[in-house]
Amino acid sequence: MMSNVFERRLRGMHALLEKALKEERSRPRPSDHVIATLKKKKLSIKDRLLSLDRRIASAQR
């Protein structure tokens, strides 16, 4: 149960970062630093989601 809540929060954060990334890219002069930071945060969340999925899968065995 707790993992479902945590997973939803991570997915929500990932979606917000994707939105922020799209907004930054649409600016007339997007910041490379901001884009890199957003990408790193998105990747970190994706890694956490994969780790969570693996733990859930191994617990179900």
Side-chain angles (χ1 to χ4, degrees):
M1 181 69 159
M2 180 65 159
S3 61
N4 288 338
V5 173
F6 186 59
E7 181 180 3
R8 280 187 300 204
R9 292 191 74 189
L10 286 175
R11 291 192 187 282
M13 289 170 40
H14 191 271
L16 288 174
L17 288 169
E18 179 63 29
K19 182 179 177 184
L21 188 57
K22 285 180 182 179
E23 288 175 1
E24 182 63 29
R25 286 180 173 153
S26 70
R27 292 179 54 209
R29 294 182 56 131
S31 166
D32 291 336
H33 176 70
V34 171
I35 289 173
T37 301
L38 292 170
K39 284 182 174 183
K40 286 178 186 177
K41 288 180 180 181
K42 273 184 61 182
L43 184 57
S44 175
I45 290 173
K46 185 175 180 181
D47 289 344
R48 291 173 75 181
L49 283 166
L50 288 172
S51 176
L52 182 62
D53 286 344
R54 287 186 192 121
R55 278 190 267 149
I56 291 170
S58 68
Q60 292 176 350
R61 292 181 189 168

